[in-house]
Amino acid sequence: MAIAEELAKKQRAISVAEFFEKNRQILGFDSAPRSLITCVKEAVDNALDACEDASILPNILVQIARVGDACLVTVEDNGPGIVREQIPRIFAKLLYGSRFHVLKQSRGQQGIGISAAVLYSQLTSGKPTKITSRIDINEPAHYYELIINTKTNEPEIIVERTTDWDRPHGTRIEMEMEASYVRGRRQSVYEYMKATAIVNPHARLTLIEPDGNVVVFDRATDQMPRQPNEIKPHPDGMELGTLIKMLRYTDRQKLISFLMNEFSRMGRKTAEDICKAAAIDPDEIPAKLSHDQAKRLLGAFRKVRIQAPPMDCLSPIGEELIYKGLEKEYDVDFISTTTRSATVHSGNPFIVEAGIAFGGSLPKEDRIDILRFANKVPLLYQQGGCAITHAIEQVNWRNYELNQSGGNGIPVGPAVVFVHVASTKVPFTSESKNAIADIPEIMNEIKLAVQDIARDMKNYLSRKKLLEKRKGKEEIIKKILPRMVAKVSSIVGKEEPDIGPVIAKIMGNILVQREVAQRDDGCVVSIRVRNFDEHARSFKLHELSKYDVVEAPEAKLVDMGDATNLVWKISLGPGEQKVLCYKIECSGTPQLQTPIAEGIDEEVIIGARVV
Amino acid sequence: MIEKDKQTQRKLLDLIEEFYTQLENEEVPALQLPTRTKANIAYDDEAEVWVYGDRESTRSAKTTRGAYQLLKTSYVVDFLNTQLKQAKSSTLRELYYISENWDLAKFGEQQESDRLIEDLEIVSALQREDFHIRPEEDGASILGPIRVREQTRRGTKTIHCQDDVGEAGYQIPCNVDSLEFLEHNAKFVIAIETGGMRDRLVENEFDERFNAIVVHLKGQPARSTRRLMKRMSEELKLPVAVFTDGDPWSYRIFASVAYGSIKSAHLSEYMATPGAMFVGIRPSDIVNYELPTDKLTDQDIRALHSLLSDPRFETDFWQSEISLQLELNKKAEQQSLAKYGLDFVTDTYLPERLAEMGMI
């Protein structure tokens, strides 16, 4: 027998379940704490997706209990439930799911997640997974105990019966596994739940920890997120292999109808333009196109202007809800959020959203925390390998008042940066879905979003600084200076001097001082106006006089009946001053009212009443 | 009130008069002071010590910080004025506690009130003793063949600093200027940084064998200790050697003895001993004697770099020693010499080094 024939005896197909049984780290089951997070995450993702599809406000319970050395993970939701016949395959067959062939934003995509968790559970505990599900109050709840036959990747039903359940509809999964529950670190079930609560403000999440401690992450809104729609692929960024596959398997008999029906944003006019640009007959049979023609067609996609893909396939969280989510989970002084408009990478629409929370009880000396999300799922691992982290590192944070040694890298300061990438297809770096690949279009959008919110934060900080400066100055003039003047005067034994001018100088204000000189034929009143501010100031100064005004060279006089109103228009540059004089008929000391200023803020003028 | 106190009072009140005049003239109260940093010390050729240069900084009520300092200055002057009138005195620490009653003018820590007294010394060209402000006794001592006469509150005492004292030595009083030197047969003064090394020299009878006056610095030396060494150097014409650990903080101790400190450069002429020489531990000793060492900490390294740009350390000797230390990345203590036995320092290291420096 030839060697090749000998070898051929050993060659056989590998079941996907068998493959993952041997390579479970690919799916995020490496260490004991991480495996636990991955299992919780897969179950919660499914629950949230199911509730969203059914427009139900999610109410999800996660319980971790210790059973000997192992952990028992229970996740229960109030979702629509699963029809009886589907239960075994959904939970106990890898790569079985409803979302893989659909172009719309969802948490799960491949149909690996939950069945991989079931596989992990059965590998480490040797026990089946228990499922309870009910689709309606008028139907019984179904109870299953399942394992995956790894040789065939088919479910094996150990127990199947109906059961009593207090929920009108929903699904409950119980898995026993080798795992460890950790606390107080970033990568923990608790932090995963907290992050999930931030991006799903419509969900109510309850966590029961192994010691019986109950943590509730309550919902911040009763409004359901908008349902994303399903779309067809967009020509932008289409790859040649994909196009050739589509051409070969389409049922369409003409190229033009293939283009118009299999792609989004492709009207007759656009489809004709593309055929023309590719120099291919629109009536050509798609499956007959040569490799060279397919290439030309792809080239034409780039040449012809095609409308951006529709965005209703995406469901961003929205600025307001991100704000609420951050506000709910962090005690901070300032929050800013932004949702960018949608763009496209390789034909897949995506939206970047970002938020920043600053100050409050956040640590000042540590590097900022980055909260990464993809399609509303928190990413806890591989922060260093993620496009979100890389984009944040490339921002020059010194421009935004955070410390950043060398002008790149993760900045230091009391801040948390939140980034959510929503897409019909999030390009992950690996199957464990913990890091987004460095796609230039995505990196760029993240950077723009982060710069947006960082700018807001900078403005907030400079406003705060200004206010603090102002506050410091008020402390000087209201508290320190009066005490100093009192002390100094008492030591030298003299009367306290008028400190109005000094205050005006310290505050950078306008100072109005008035002097009266007695003459034989009346009184000369002179008003000295000085500008100690760094800016030019313009305003009107009024003087109400009940005496007869005999001379007032620069003033406009307005007769008010029993008094005369003298009005000056004053405009003073920084450091400038002006003396206004007028003469009144009066013997003895005249009784004058405080001058009145108009068109200026009260806090920048001393010695005049502001109206 | 004695004439000297009246003059002090006048000078302090002048400062307050100036504040008053500023206020009357519609000026924001301010005080000019020499900048007290290493960038603003200059070598005084005549006195051969480092004093403050021409750079001045303004303390103005325009800033919150400046306003507080001027407020506190006013309160302190008021207090000193009363104290002078009543012929009383107080310690630096007491002054700090007295400020408890001063509301906004209260000091946050003693360092702050100490510094303000130094500021007043600079502004008035007087010394804190003139204000009737005393430091705490810091317990620094001398041991050696010299007889001194001290004016104490309990009468005049004559003390021989070897025969009439225990192993702890003669404690240096606060007011060194009232101390009178009688006879002595000392050849030199040696100032020691640490207590452990000072005790080693005493146990090994170094003072008797070499006719040395052993001064214990106790870390960064007090003014009285520095003043005493200055007087022994000037009046008794004794050479002064300084023996410290081999790290940047110890070099600063030497600099404050020999060149004057940055913090009190206004008193350098009064306190610095320009002829004082540095015995060690030198970074080159670490290599030559293969001394046991510790790694430099980040603070050590920063301090060494700061010394490299300190005008007092601009000599070739210091530049090459400091560079060597940075290269070695090591520091050594005085007591590391014990590697070669307890007598090594008094039998070998010091005699060799002092002979090299021409002191014995």
Side-chain angles (χ1 to χ4, degrees), chain B residues 200-334:
Chain B
R200 169 62 36 221
L201 263 64
V202 173
E203 190 181 313
N204 293 4
E205 294 165 351
F206 184 83
D207 54 320
E208 288 180 358
R209 282 163 57 201
F210 292 92
N211 286 330
I213 297 174
V214 177
V215 179
H216 180 203
L217 295 175
K218 288 196 85 174
Q220 187 63 252
R223 284 187 185 185
S224 51
T225 310
R226 283 184 279 161
R227 176 64 183 157
L228 181 69
M229 286 193 282
K230 163 94 171 172
R231 283 193 58 204
M232 290 196 289
S233 156
E234 248 177 27
E235 295 167 32
L236 308 178
K237 308 280 178 241
L238 291 176
V240 174
V242 180
F243 183 25
T244 66
D245 285 340
D247 62 47
W249 322 100
S250 302
Y251 309 153
R252 282 187 187 168
I253 290 174
F254 166 72
S256 79
V257 170
Y259 311 135
S261 71
I262 292 173
K263 207 164 94 73
S264 53
H266 58 296
L267 298 170
S268 290
E269 277 180 61
Y270 174 77
M271 294 195 305
T273 308
M277 289 198 274
F278 183 66
V279 172
I281 302 290
R282 302 174 182 177
S284 52
D285 290 341
I286 295 176
V287 184
N288 296 338
Y289 293 92
E290 294 175 359
L291 295 176
T293 54
D294 286 319
K295 239 185 114 205
L296 293 178
T297 64
D298 289 347
Q299 283 135 315
D300 290 335
I301 291 167
R302 270 199 296 278
L304 283 170
H305 280 290
S306 161
L307 289 185
L308 280 176
S309 61
D310 187 324
R312 299 174 301 169
F313 288 86
E314 261 167 20
T315 61
D316 290 344
F317 169 79
W318 280 114
Q319 293 290 316
S320 71
E321 288 287 349
I322 294 169
S323 306
L324 173 66
Q325 182 149 34
L326 283 167
E327 208 175 293
L328 294 172
N329 196 27
K330 282 172 183 166
K331 60 181 176 185
E333 292 185 351
Q334 296 184 295

Side-chain angles (χ1 to χ4, degrees), chain A residues 55-310:
Chain A
S55 294
I56 296 167
L57 283 171
N59 203 345
I60 298 169
L61 171 81
V62 174
Q63 178 168 21
I64 316 289
R66 289 214 171 87
V67 185
D69 291 342
C71 275
L72 178 65
V73 177
T74 308
V75 177
E76 199 177 294
D77 67 50
N78 61 337
I82 300 159
V83 292
R84 191 179 57 82
E85 314 80 69
Q86 290 288 12
I87 293 173
R89 267 174 298 188
I90 284 186
F91 291 97
K93 181 177 170 70
L94 288 154
L95 292 175
Y96 185 88
S98 56
R99 302 175 196 284
F100 186 66
H101 303 280
V102 175
L103 282 179
K104 79 170 194 182
Q105 176 190 332
S106 62
R107 292 173 184 82
Q109 272 164 344
Q110 285 90 338
I112 294 180
I114 195 62
S115 40
V118 169
L119 179 61
Y120 176 79
S121 153
Q122 110 188 20
L123 285 173
T124 56
S125 73
K127 294 187 180 165
T129 293
K130 297 166 186 168
I131 310 290
T132 311
S133 191
R134 187 177 191 178
I135 56 170
D136 192 90
I137 188 117
N138 301 317
E139 300 270 334
H142 292 279
Y143 176 82
Y144 277 89
E145 290 186 15
L146 300 167
I147 59 169
I148 301 173
N149 180 334
T150 53
K151 282 218 169 69
T152 58
N153 183 25
E154 286 298 333
E156 274 183 28
I157 299 164
I158 310 292
V159 176
E160 177 187 6
R161 58 178 157 83
T162 60
T163 184
D164 285 334
W165 202 28
D166 50 3
R167 287 204 188 247
H169 53 82
T171 305
R172 171 188 172 98
I173 176 166
E174 288 166 81
M175 299 177 274
E176 199 174 314
M177 62 186 70
E178 198 176 88
S180 73
Y181 186 82
V182 293
R183 246 195 191 152
R185 66 161 107 144
R186 190 61 193 285
Q187 288 144 347
S188 62
V189 172
Y190 176 87
E191 289 293 329
Y192 159 75
M193 299 274 289
K194 178 174 170 176
T196 304
I198 293 172
V199 277
N200 295 284
H202 66 293
R204 182 173 196 272
L205 307 175
T206 307
L207 168 66
I208 303 176
E209 298 186 287
D211 60 5
N213 183 37
V214 179
V215 190
V216 178
F217 302 91
D218 227 327
R219 57 174 66 96
T221 176
D222 283 341
Q223 202 190 319
M224 285 295 293
R226 194 172 49 77
Q227 276 266 20
N229 289 335
E230 193 181 331
I231 60 156
K232 295 185 179 117
H234 189 270
D236 244 10
M238 170 87 23
E239 279 162 347
L240 185 59
T242 317
L243 179 62
I244 291 173
K245 188 182 102 185
M246 286 173 76
L247 287 165
R248 179 177 302 161
Y249 296 113
T250 182
D251 294 334
R252 305 285 164 183
Q253 290 304 308
K254 288 179 177 173
L255 181 58
I256 184 107
S257 65
F258 164 76
L259 288 174
M260 285 169 60
N261 289 297
E262 308 274 323
F263 290 95
S264 67
R265 297 300 195 204
M266 194 74 82
R268 174 166 293 276
K269 173 81 174 56
T270 315
E272 280 171 359
D273 287 352
I274 284 171
C275 294
K276 202 190 251 169
I280 306 170
D281 183 357
D283 293 337
E284 192 72 71
I285 300 166
K288 294 260 169 75
L289 252 54
S290 70
H291 185 272
D292 186 50
Q293 280 174 315
K295 224 169 155 178
R296 289 210 313 267
L297 191 62
L298 193 72
F301 285 167
R302 311 241 153 91
K303 273 182 238 157
V304 175
R305 247 187 73 86
I306 305 164
Q307 215 185 336

Side-chain angles (χ1 to χ4, degrees), chain B residues 31-193:
Chain B
L31 180 62
Q32 297 277 338
L33 276 171
T35 310
R36 289 159 79 181
T37 63
K38 72 175 179 194
N40 188 37
I41 54 171
Y43 190 68
D44 182 330
D45 289 321
E46 226 164 277
E48 297 179 311
V49 293
W50 292 85
V51 295
Y52 287 125
D54 303 330
R55 269 198 233 179
E56 292 206 318
S57 46
T58 304
R59 200 165 286 175
S60 159
K62 263 182 193 153
T63 66
T64 321
R65 208 175 115 86
Y68 269 118
Q69 283 174 326
L70 295 182
L71 176 69
K72 287 172 187 179
T73 307
S74 311
Y75 270 76
V76 168
V77 169
D78 188 33
F79 167 75
L80 295 176
N81 186 27
T82 314
Q83 172 167 287
L84 286 164
K85 263 193 241 167
Q86 297 172 347
K88 287 208 171 151
S89 70
S90 49
T91 65
L92 284 167
R93 189 139 191 87
E94 282 170 332
L95 170 65
Y96 164 64
Y97 283 128
I98 282 166
S99 82
E100 281 285 326
N101 308 311
W102 294 353
D103 187 26
L104 285 183
K106 181 185 151 183
F107 292 105
E109 49 181 4
Q110 197 194 329
Q111 224 183 353
E112 203 191 334
S113 54
D114 288 359
R115 226 182 140 77
L116 208 150
I117 290 292
E118 282 165 9
D119 289 343
L120 288 175
E121 287 183 322
I122 296 169
V123 174
S124 64
L126 293 169
Q127 282 181 35
R128 60 191 181 204
E129 286 75 15
D130 298 320
F131 308 148
H132 293 189
I133 292 284
R134 289 176 277 120
E136 244 72 359
E137 301 278 349
D138 86 327
S141 65
I142 65 170
L143 186 80
I146 181 169
R147 193 184 303 278
V148 296
R149 184 184 288 147
E150 184 185 341
Q151 309 289 340
T152 74
R153 265 159 272 190
R154 299 177 184 184
T156 308
K157 307 230 163 136
T158 305
I159 301 154
H160 188 274
C161 299
Q162 243 165 3
D163 304 341
D164 302 337
V165 297
E167 280 199 352
Y170 168 69
Q171 193 173 329
I172 302 169
C174 286
N175 188 1
V176 171
D177 282 309
S178 68
L179 204 64
E180 213 179 311
F181 299 139
L182 303 175
E183 77 281 0
H184 76 91
N185 67 338
K187 293 274 177 5
F188 63 94
V189 176
I190 184 162
I192 316 290
E193 177 185 356

